[in-house]
Amino acid sequence: MRYGETSMSCECGTTGDNGSGCGCSLSSSATASCPACGTIGRKVSSLTIQSQFKKEMLENYKDHTDKFNFCMNPSCPAVYYDDSESIIIHQDEIRSKVTIKNDDLKTPLCYCKKLLKSDFFQMIEDNIPDISDKIKAIISEGKSFCEKSNPKGVCCTEDVKTFLAEYGMAWESQDASRGCC
């Protein structure tokens, strides 16, 4: 699947409303492109915006929270943009660091479980065997609330897979029925 395509937000194939505990929601392509880079992003829910915008930003756009999209371009400085392509929200205007847009080691890989990029590098330094299995175990523990905690408004599994692949580690999903989180 390529960025921007309509999809379930996680491998569990369920939403948080049906008892899965995942906290994910349906995600679809934006209808507008990012005014900063031209990429078609991903629609995000009002809940995601209300959870991610800093207080002053939320006050400015409180009647507009259902009109935002996430820019999927890792090199674009825009995090969110609105449907009219007239509002751009940057990293310093939201609460969370964005995994795909930030190289800082204190950036989350998994927002719900507070698994940071630095934790991954610590596992390498500690010579932990089967790091991808260890990360899968961490993010599958307990309840998740992806729609609130991840700036993308969806499960972090795809970002984790991409991150691990950059370091030559595969995320082989042997049991897709377990879900993403």
Side-chain angles (χ1 to χ4, degrees), residues 120-131:
F120 168 80
F121 291 112
Q122 186 64 51
M123 287 180 210
I124 290 174
E125 188 175 304
D126 292 346
N127 224 5
I128 301 290
D130 302 318
I131 291 175

Side-chain angles (χ1 to χ4, degrees), residues 91-104:
Q91 176 71 69
D92 62 343
E93 297 170 305
I94 67 169
R95 293 181 174 139
S96 301
K97 292 179 180 180
V98 181
T99 300
I100 69 167
K101 295 181 179 273
N102 200 314
D103 291 330
D104 183 348

Side-chain angles (χ1 to χ4, degrees), residues 4-38:
E5 291 181 349
T6 301
S7 67
M8 293 301 292
S9 60
C10 64
E11 292 175 348
C12 59
T14 59
T15 66
D17 297 334
N18 67 5
S20 73
C22 181
C24 295
S25 66
L26 291 173
S27 178
S28 62
S29 294
T31 56
S33 60
C34 175
C37 70

Side-chain angles (χ1 to χ4, degrees), residues 125-172:
E125 188 175 304
D126 292 346
N127 224 5
I128 301 290
D130 302 318
I131 291 175
S132 63
D133 289 339
K134 174 74 173 164
I135 290 175
K136 279 192 270 187
I138 290 168
I139 67 174
S140 68
E141 295 170 352
K143 188 168 174 77
S144 298
F145 39 95
C146 310
E147 194 172 4
K148 284 178 140 182
S149 61
N150 186 341
K152 288 170 76 173
V154 296
C155 185
C156 61
T157 303
E158 287 304 315
D159 289 336
V160 173
K161 287 179 184 180
T162 300
F163 184 82
L164 290 173
E166 288 175 16
Y167 294 92
M169 295 179 197
W171 177 289
E172 298 298 328

